[in-house]
Coordinates of all heavy atoms in Angstrom, one line a residue:
K850 N 114.2 108.7 160.4 CA 113.5 108.6 159.1 C 112.9 107.2 159.1 O 113.6 106.2 159.1 CB 114.3 108.9 157.9 CG 113.7 108.9 156.6 CD 114.7 109.3 155.5 CE 114.0 109.4 154.2 NZ 114.8 109.8 153.1
T851 N 111.6 107.1 158.8 CA 110.9 105.8 158.7 C 110.8 105.3 157.3 O 110.4 106.1 156.4 CB 109.6 105.8 159.4 OG1 109.7 106.3 160.7 CG2 109.0 104.4 159.5
H852 N 111.1 104.0 157.0 CA 110.9 103.5 155.6 C 109.7 102.5 155.6 O 109.4 101.9 156.6 CB 112.1 102.7 155.2 CG 113.4 103.5 155.1 ND1 113.6 104.2 154.0 CD2 114.4 103.6 155.9 CE1 114.8 104.9 154.1 NE2 115.3 104.4 155.3
H853 N 109.0 102.7 154.5 CA 107.8 101.7 154.4 C 108.4 100.3 154.2 O 109.4 100.1 153.4 CB 107.0 102.1 153.1 CG 105.8 101.4 152.9 ND1 105.7 100.1 152.5 CD2 104.5 101.8 153.3 CE1 104.4 99.8 152.5 NE2 103.7 100.8 152.9
P854 N 107.9 99.3 154.9 CA 108.5 97.9 155.0 C 108.5 97.4 153.6 O 109.4 96.6 153.2 CB 107.5 97.2 155.9 CG 106.8 98.2 156.7 CD 106.8 99.4 156.0
K855 N 107.5 97.6 152.8 CA 107.4 96.9 151.5 C 108.6 97.5 150.5 O 108.9 96.9 149.5 CB 106.1 97.1 150.8 CG 105.0 96.2 151.4 CD 103.8 96.2 150.6 CE 102.7 95.2 151.2 NZ 102.7 94.0 150.7
L856 N 109.0 98.6 150.9 CA 110.1 99.2 150.0 C 111.6 98.8 150.4 O 112.4 98.9 149.5 CB 110.1 100.8 150.1 CG 108.8 101.4 149.6 CD1 108.9 102.9 149.9 CD2 108.5 101.2 148.1
V857 N 111.7 98.2 151.5 CA 113.0 97.8 152.0 C 113.1 96.3 152.2 O 114.2 95.8 152.5 CB 113.5 98.5 153.2 CG1 113.6 100.1 152.9 CG2 112.5 98.4 154.3
R858 N 112.0 95.5 152.2 CA 112.1 94.1 152.6 C 111.3 93.3 151.7 O 110.2 93.7 151.2 CB 111.5 93.8 154.0 CG 112.3 94.6 155.1 CD 111.9 94.1 156.4 NE 112.1 92.6 156.7 CZ 113.3 92.0 157.0 NH1 114.4 92.8 157.1 NH2 113.4 90.7 157.1
M859 N 111.9 92.2 151.2 CA 111.1 91.2 150.4 C 110.3 90.4 151.3 O 110.7 90.0 152.5 CB 112.0 90.3 149.6 CG 112.8 90.9 148.5 SD 113.6 89.7 147.5 CE 115.0 89.2 148.5
D860 N 109.1 89.9 151.0 CA 108.4 89.0 151.8 C 108.9 87.7 151.9 O 109.8 87.3 151.1 CB 106.8 89.1 151.5 CG 106.6 88.5 150.2 OD1 107.4 87.7 149.7 OD2 105.4 88.9 149.6
V861 N 108.4 86.9 152.8 CA 108.9 85.6 152.9 C 108.8 84.6 151.6 O 109.9 84.0 151.3 CB 108.1 84.7 154.0 CG1 108.5 83.3 154.1 CG2 108.3 85.5 155.4
Y862 N 107.7 84.8 150.9 CA 107.6 84.1 149.6 C 108.6 84.5 148.7 O 109.3 83.7 148.0 CB 106.1 84.3 149.1 CG 106.0 83.7 147.8 CD1 105.8 82.4 147.7 CD2 105.8 84.5 146.6 CE1 105.5 81.7 146.5 CE2 105.5 83.9 145.4 CZ 105.4 82.5 145.3 OH 105.2 81.9 144.1
A863 N 108.9 85.8 148.5 CA 109.9 86.3 147.6 C 111.3 85.9 147.9 O 112.0 85.5 147.1 CB 109.8 87.9 147.6
R864 N 111.6 85.9 149.3 CA 112.9 85.5 149.7 C 113.1 84.0 149.4 O 114.2 83.6 149.0 CB 113.1 85.8 151.2 CG 113.2 87.3 151.5 CD 113.8 87.5 152.9 NE 113.0 86.8 153.9 CZ 112.0 87.3 154.7 NH1 111.6 88.5 154.5 NH2 111.4 86.6 155.7
Q865 N 112.1 83.2 149.6 CA 112.2 81.7 149.2 C 112.4 81.5 147.7 O 113.3 80.7 147.4 CB 110.9 81.0 149.7 CG 111.2 79.5 149.8 CD 112.1 79.1 150.8 OE1 112.1 79.5 152.0 NE2 113.1 78.3 150.3
I866 N 111.7 82.3 146.9 CA 111.9 82.1 145.4 C 113.3 82.5 145.2 O 114.0 81.7 144.3 CB 110.9 83.0 144.6 CG1 109.4 82.4 144.8 CG2 111.3 83.1 143.2 CD1 108.4 83.4 144.2
V867 N 113.7 83.6 145.5 CA 115.1 84.0 145.2 C 116.1 83.0 145.8 O 117.1 82.6 145.0 CB 115.4 85.5 145.7 CG1 116.8 85.8 145.7 CG2 114.6 86.4 145.0
G868 N 116.0 82.6 147.0 CA 116.9 81.7 147.6 C 116.8 80.3 146.9 O 118.1 79.8 146.6
D869 N 115.9 79.7 146.5 CA 115.7 78.5 145.7 C 116.4 78.7 144.4 O 117.2 77.8 144.0 CB 114.3 78.1 145.5 CG 113.7 77.5 146.7 OD1 114.4 77.2 147.7 OD2 112.4 77.4 146.7
R870 N 116.2 79.8 143.7 CA 116.8 80.1 142.4 C 118.3 80.2 142.5 O 119.0 79.6 141.6 CB 116.2 81.4 141.8 CG 116.7 81.6 140.4 CD 115.8 82.7 139.7 NE 114.4 82.2 139.5 CZ 113.3 82.9 139.7 NH1 113.4 84.2 139.9 NH2 112.2 82.3 139.4
V871 N 118.8 80.8 143.6 CA 120.3 81.0 143.8 C 120.9 79.6 143.9 O 121.8 79.2 143.2 CB 120.6 81.9 144.9 CG1 122.0 81.8 145.2 CG2 120.3 83.4 144.6
R872 N 120.3 78.9 144.9 CA 120.8 77.5 145.2 C 120.8 76.6 143.9 O 121.8 75.9 143.5 CB 120.0 76.9 146.3 CG 120.6 75.5 146.8 CD 119.8 74.8 147.9 NE 118.3 74.9 147.6 CZ 117.7 74.1 146.8 NH1 118.3 73.2 146.2 NH2 116.3 74.2 146.7
K873 N 119.6 76.4 143.3 CA 119.4 75.6 142.2 C 120.4 76.0 141.0 O 121.0 75.1 140.4 CB 118.1 75.6 141.7 CG 117.1 74.8 142.6 CD 115.6 74.8 142.3 CE 114.7 74.1 143.2 NZ 113.3 74.3 142.9
T874 N 120.5 77.3 140.8 CA 121.5 77.6 139.6 C 122.9 77.4 140.0 O 123.6 77.0 139.2 CB 121.1 79.2 139.3 OG1 119.7 79.4 139.1 CG2 122.0 79.6 138.2
R875 N 123.2 77.7 141.3 CA 124.6 77.5 141.6 C 124.9 76.1 141.5 O 126.0 75.6 141.0 CB 124.8 78.0 143.1 CG 126.3 77.8 143.6 CD 126.3 78.2 145.1 NE 125.5 77.5 146.1 CZ 125.6 76.2 146.3 NH1 126.7 75.6 145.9 NH2 124.8 75.6 147.2
E876 N 124.1 75.2 142.0 CA 124.3 73.7 141.9 C 124.3 73.3 140.5 O 125.2 72.4 140.1 CB 123.2 73.1 142.8 CG 123.5 73.2 144.2 CD 122.3 72.5 145.1 OE1 121.2 72.1 144.5 OE2 122.5 72.5 146.3
Y877 N 123.4 73.9 139.7 CA 123.4 73.4 138.2 C 124.7 73.7 137.5 O 125.3 73.0 136.8 CB 122.2 74.1 137.6 CG 122.1 73.9 136.0 CD1 121.7 72.7 135.5 CD2 122.7 74.8 135.2 CE1 121.6 72.5 134.1 CE2 122.6 74.6 133.8 CZ 122.1 73.5 133.3 OH 122.1 73.1 132.0
L878 N 125.2 74.9 137.9 CA 126.5 75.4 137.3 C 127.7 74.7 138.0 O 128.9 75.0 137.6 CB 126.7 76.9 137.4 CG 125.6 77.6 136.7 CD1 125.7 79.1 137.0 CD2 125.8 77.5 135.2
C879 N 127.5 73.8 139.0 CA 128.6 73.2 139.8 C 129.5 74.1 140.3 O 130.8 73.9 140.3 CB 129.4 72.2 138.9 SG 128.2 70.9 138.1
I880 N 129.0 75.2 141.0 CA 129.9 76.1 141.7 C 129.7 75.8 143.1 O 128.7 75.8 143.8 CB 129.4 77.6 141.4 CG1 129.3 77.9 139.9 CG2 130.3 78.6 142.2 CD1 128.7 79.3 139.7
S881 N 130.9 75.7 143.8 CA 130.9 75.3 145.2 C 130.5 76.5 146.0 O 130.5 77.7 145.5 CB 132.3 74.9 145.7 OG 133.2 76.0 145.7
K882 N 130.1 76.3 147.3 CA 129.7 77.4 148.1 C 130.9 78.4 148.3 O 130.6 79.6 148.2 CB 129.1 77.0 149.5 CG 127.7 76.4 149.4 CD 127.1 76.1 150.7 CE 125.7 75.7 150.6 NZ 125.0 75.5 151.9
V883 N 132.0 77.9 148.5 CA 133.3 78.6 148.8 C 133.6 79.5 147.6 O 133.8 80.7 147.7 CB 134.4 77.8 149.2 CG1 135.7 78.6 149.2 CG2 134.2 77.1 150.5
D884 N 133.6 78.9 146.3 CA 133.9 79.7 145.1 C 132.8 80.7 144.9 O 133.1 81.8 144.4 CB 134.1 78.8 144.0 CG 135.3 77.9 144.0 OD1 136.2 78.2 144.7 OD2 135.4 76.9 143.3
F885 N 131.6 80.4 145.1 CA 130.5 81.3 144.9 C 130.6 82.5 145.8 O 130.5 83.7 145.4 CB 129.1 80.6 145.0 CG 127.9 81.5 144.7 CD1 127.7 81.8 143.3 CD2 127.3 82.2 145.8 CE1 126.6 82.6 143.1 CE2 126.2 83.1 145.4 CZ 125.9 83.3 144.1
C886 N 130.9 82.3 147.1 CA 131.0 83.4 148.1 C 132.2 84.3 147.7 O 132.0 85.6 147.8 CB 131.2 82.8 149.5 SG 129.7 82.0 150.1
L887 N 133.2 83.8 147.2 CA 134.4 84.6 146.7 C 133.9 85.5 145.5 O 134.2 86.7 145.5 CB 135.5 83.7 146.4 CG 136.3 83.1 147.6 CD1 137.3 82.2 147.0 CD2 137.0 84.1 148.4
A888 N 133.2 84.8 144.6 CA 132.8 85.6 143.4 C 131.7 86.6 143.7 O 131.7 87.6 143.0 CB 132.3 84.6 142.3
A889 N 130.8 86.3 144.6 CA 129.8 87.3 144.9 C 130.1 88.2 146.0 O 129.3 89.1 146.4 CB 128.5 86.5 145.3
D890 N 131.3 88.0 146.7 CA 131.7 88.9 147.7 C 130.8 88.9 148.9 O 130.4 89.9 149.5 CB 131.9 90.3 147.3 CG 132.7 91.2 148.3 OD1 133.6 90.6 149.0 OD2 132.5 92.4 148.3
I891 N 130.3 87.6 149.3 CA 129.5 87.5 150.5 C 130.1 86.4 151.4 O 130.9 85.6 150.9 CB 128.0 87.1 150.0 CG1 128.0 85.8 149.2 CG2 127.4 88.3 149.4 CD1 126.6 85.4 149.0
S892 N 129.7 86.3 152.6 CA 130.2 85.2 153.5 C 129.4 84.0 153.3 O 128.3 84.0 152.8 CB 130.1 85.7 155.0 OG 128.7 85.8 155.4
R893 N 130.0 82.8 153.7 CA 129.3 81.6 153.7 C 128.0 81.5 154.5 O 127.0 81.1 154.0 CB 130.3 80.5 154.1 CG 129.7 79.1 154.3 CD 129.4 78.4 153.0 NE 128.8 77.2 153.2 CZ 129.4 76.0 153.4 NH1 130.8 76.0 153.3 NH2 128.8 74.9 153.5
P894 N 128.0 82.1 155.7 CA 126.7 82.1 156.5 C 125.7 82.9 155.8 O 124.5 82.5 155.9 CB 127.1 82.8 157.8 CG 128.6 82.4 158.0 CD 129.2 82.5 156.5
F895 N 126.1 84.1 155.2 CA 125.1 84.9 154.4 C 124.6 84.1 153.2 O 123.3 84.3 153.0 CB 125.7 86.3 154.1 CG 124.6 87.3 153.7 CD1 123.5 87.5 154.4 CD2 124.8 88.0 152.6 CE1 122.5 88.3 154.0 CE2 123.9 88.9 152.2 CZ 122.7 89.1 152.9
L896 N 125.3 83.4 152.6 CA 124.9 82.7 151.4 C 123.8 81.6 151.9 O 122.8 81.3 151.3 CB 126.0 81.8 150.7 CG 125.6 80.9 149.6 CD1 124.7 81.6 148.5 CD2 126.7 80.2 149.0
D897 N 124.2 80.8 153.0 CA 123.3 79.9 153.6 C 121.9 80.6 154.0 O 120.9 80.1 153.7 CB 123.8 79.3 154.8 CG 125.0 78.4 154.5 OD1 125.1 77.9 153.4 OD2 125.8 78.1 155.4
Q898 N 121.9 81.8 154.5 CA 120.7 82.6 154.8 C 119.9 82.9 153.5 O 118.7 82.8 153.5 CB 121.0 83.8 155.6 CG 121.4 83.6 156.9 CD 121.9 84.9 157.7 OE1 121.9 85.9 157.1 NE2 122.3 84.7 159.0
I899 N 120.6 83.3 152.4 CA 120.0 83.7 151.2 C 119.4 82.4 150.6 O 118.2 82.4 150.3 CB 121.0 84.2 150.2 CG1 121.4 85.6 150.6 CG2 120.4 84.3 148.8 CD1 122.7 86.2 149.8
E900 N 120.2 81.3 150.6 CA 119.5 80.2 150.0 C 118.4 79.5 150.7 O 117.6 78.9 150.1 CB 120.7 79.2 149.7 CG 121.7 79.5 148.6 CD 122.7 78.5 148.3 OE1 122.9 77.5 149.0 OE2 123.3 78.6 147.3
S901 N 118.4 79.8 152.0 CA 117.3 79.2 152.9 C 116.1 80.2 152.9 O 115.1 79.8 153.5 CB 117.7 78.9 154.3 OG 118.1 80.1 154.9
G902 N 116.2 81.4 152.2 CA 115.1 82.4 152.3 C 115.0 83.1 153.5 O 114.0 83.8 153.8
R903 N 116.1 83.2 154.4 CA 116.0 83.9 155.6 C 116.7 85.3 155.6 O 116.3 86.1 156.4 CB 116.8 83.1 156.8 CG 116.0 81.8 157.1 CD 116.7 81.1 158.2 NE 117.9 80.4 157.6 CZ 119.1 80.4 158.1 NH1 119.4 81.1 159.2 NH2 120.1 79.9 157.5
A904 N 117.4 85.5 154.5 CA 118.1 86.8 154.3 C 117.3 87.8 153.5 O 116.5 87.4 152.8 CB 119.5 86.6 153.7
N905 N 117.4 89.1 153.8 CA 116.9 90.2 153.1 C 118.1 90.9 152.4 O 118.5 91.9 152.8 CB 116.0 91.0 153.9 CG 115.3 92.2 153.0 OD1 114.8 91.8 152.0 ND2 115.3 93.3 153.6
P906 N 118.6 90.4 151.2 CA 119.8 90.9 150.6 C 119.5 92.4 150.1 O 118.5 92.6 149.5 CB 120.2 89.9 149.6 CG 119.0 89.1 149.3 CD 118.2 89.1 150.5
S907 N 120.6 93.1 150.1 CA 120.5 94.5 149.5 C 120.6 94.4 148.0 O 120.9 93.4 147.5 CB 121.7 95.4 150.0 OG 122.9 94.8 149.5
L908 N 120.3 95.5 147.3 CA 120.3 95.5 145.9 C 121.8 95.2 145.5 O 122.0 94.5 144.5 CB 119.9 96.9 145.4 CG 119.9 97.1 143.9 CD1 119.2 96.0 143.2 CD2 119.5 98.4 143.5
E909 N 122.8 95.8 146.1 CA 124.2 95.6 145.8 C 124.5 94.1 145.9 O 125.1 93.5 145.0 CB 125.1 96.3 146.7 CG 126.6 96.1 146.5 CD 127.5 96.9 147.4 OE1 127.1 97.5 148.3 OE2 128.7 96.7 147.1
T910 N 124.1 93.4 147.0 CA 124.2 92.0 147.1 C 123.5 91.2 146.1 O 124.1 90.2 145.4 CB 123.8 91.4 148.5 OG1 124.6 92.2 149.5 CG2 123.9 90.0 148.7
L911 N 122.3 91.6 145.7 CA 121.6 90.9 144.6 C 122.3 91.0 143.3 O 122.4 90.0 142.5 CB 120.2 91.4 144.5 CG 119.2 91.1 145.6 CD1 117.9 91.8 145.4 CD2 119.0 89.6 145.7
C912 N 123.0 92.2 143.0 CA 123.8 92.5 141.8 C 124.9 91.5 141.8 O 125.3 90.8 140.8 CB 124.2 93.9 141.7 SG 122.9 95.0 141.3
N913 N 125.6 91.4 142.9 CA 126.8 90.5 143.1 C 126.5 89.1 142.8 O 127.1 88.3 142.2 CB 127.5 90.7 144.5 CG 128.2 92.1 144.6 OD1 128.4 92.7 143.5 ND2 128.6 92.5 145.8
V914 N 125.3 88.7 143.6 CA 124.9 87.2 143.4 C 124.5 86.9 142.0 O 124.9 85.9 141.5 CB 123.8 87.0 144.4 CG1 123.0 85.7 144.1 CG2 124.2 87.0 145.8
A915 N 123.7 87.8 141.3 CA 123.2 87.6 140.0 C 124.6 87.5 139.1 O 124.6 86.5 138.2 CB 122.3 88.6 139.5
G916 N 125.4 88.4 139.2 CA 126.6 88.4 138.4 C 127.5 87.1 138.6 O 128.0 86.5 137.6
A917 N 127.5 86.6 139.8 CA 128.3 85.3 140.1 C 127.6 84.1 139.4 O 128.3 83.1 139.1 CB 128.5 85.1 141.6
L918 N 126.4 84.3 139.2 CA 125.5 83.2 138.5 C 125.5 83.4 137.0 O 124.9 82.6 136.3 CB 124.2 83.1 139.1 CG 124.1 82.7 140.5 CD1 122.6 82.9 141.1 CD2 124.6 81.3 140.7
G919 N 126.0 84.5 136.5 CA 126.0 84.8 135.0 C 124.6 85.2 134.5 O 124.2 85.0 133.5
M920 N 123.8 85.9 135.5 CA 122.5 86.3 135.1 C 122.3 87.8 135.6 O 123.2 88.3 136.3 CB 121.5 85.4 135.8 CG 121.6 85.3 137.3 SD 120.5 84.0 138.1 CE 119.3 83.4 137.0
T921 N 121.2 88.4 135.2 CA 120.9 89.7 135.7 C 120.1 89.7 136.9 O 119.5 88.6 137.3 CB 120.2 90.4 134.5 OG1 118.8 89.8 134.4 CG2 120.9 90.4 133.2
V922 N 119.9 90.8 137.6 CA 119.1 90.9 138.7 C 117.6 90.6 138.3 O 116.9 90.0 139.0 CB 119.2 92.3 139.4 CG1 118.1 92.4 140.6 CG2 120.6 92.4 140.0
S923 N 117.3 91.1 137.1 CA 115.9 90.8 136.6 C 115.7 89.3 136.5 O 114.5 88.8 136.8 CB 115.7 91.5 135.2 OG 115.7 92.9 135.3
D924 N 116.7 88.5 136.0 CA 116.5 87.1 135.8 C 116.3 86.5 137.3 O 115.5 85.6 137.5 CB 117.8 86.5 135.3 CG 118.0 86.9 133.8 OD1 117.1 87.2 133.1 OD2 119.2 86.9 133.4
L925 N 117.1 87.0 138.2 CA 117.1 86.5 139.6 C 115.8 86.7 140.2 O 115.2 85.8 140.9 CB 118.2 87.1 140.4 CG 118.5 86.6 141.7 CD1 118.9 85.1 141.7 CD2 119.6 87.4 142.5
L926 N 115.1 87.9 139.9 CA 113.9 88.3 140.5 C 112.6 87.9 139.7 O 111.5 88.3 140.1 CB 113.9 89.8 140.9 CG 114.9 90.2 141.9 CD1 114.9 91.7 142.0 CD2 114.7 89.6 143.2
E927 N 112.8 87.2 138.6 CA 111.6 86.9 137.7 C 110.6 86.1 138.5 O 110.8 85.2 139.3 CB 112.1 86.1 136.6 CG 111.1 85.7 135.6 CD 111.5 84.9 134.4 OE1 112.8 84.9 134.2 OE2 110.7 84.4 133.6
G928 N 109.3 86.7 138.4 CA 108.2 86.0 139.1 C 108.0 86.5 140.5 O 107.1 86.1 141.2
V929 N 108.9 87.4 141.0 CA 108.8 87.9 142.3 C 108.0 89.2 142.2 O 108.4 90.1 141.5 CB 110.2 88.2 143.0 CG1 110.0 88.8 144.3 CG2 110.9 86.8 143.1
S930 N 107.0 89.3 143.1 CA 106.2 90.6 143.0 C 106.3 91.3 144.4 O 106.6 90.7 145.3 CB 104.8 90.3 142.7 OG 104.2 89.5 143.5

């Protein structure tokens, strides 16, 4: 079964926006990478990939990340098209 790429992948610009938002919010809240990874149930290397805009996180991961930041997925994805 083939998936349409736009339905399963964020483009580079969208990944960069999300990654920057995750990093800036995490730092603003003074949450260490280790504590954040535990709260979001992700690995440290994956957090580094998300924050640098190299990862294409699943919806479940976006939910976990948003929750660990005290925000909604809608907040996390604001401005991303």
Side-chain angles (χ1 to χ4, degrees):
K850 186 174 180 179
T851 305
H852 295 285
H853 190 280
K855 288 192 179 258
L856 296 178
V857 296
R858 294 192 64 81
M859 289 191 288
D860 66 21
V861 173
Y862 178 72
R864 290 193 310 262
Q865 194 63 53
I866 289 173
V867 171
D869 285 345
R870 188 165 291 144
V871 169
R872 181 182 48 77
K873 288 176 181 175
T874 305
R875 181 183 59 74
E876 290 174 350
Y877 175 79
L878 295 172
C879 300
I880 304 172
S881 72
K882 286 186 175 188
V883 171
D884 288 341
F885 184 79
C886 289
L887 290 171
D890 193 28
I891 59 174
S892 69
R893 170 76 185 268
F895 193 48
L896 175 60
D897 291 339
Q898 289 176 356
I899 291 170
E900 290 187 345
S901 67
R903 291 179 286 131
N905 186 43
S907 68
L908 180 57
E909 179 180 5
T910 298
L911 289 174
C912 289
N913 291 347
V914 166
L918 294 171
M920 58 189 349
T921 66
V922 174
S923 294
D924 294 332
L925 191 59
L926 297 176
E927 185 176 346
V929 174
S930 56

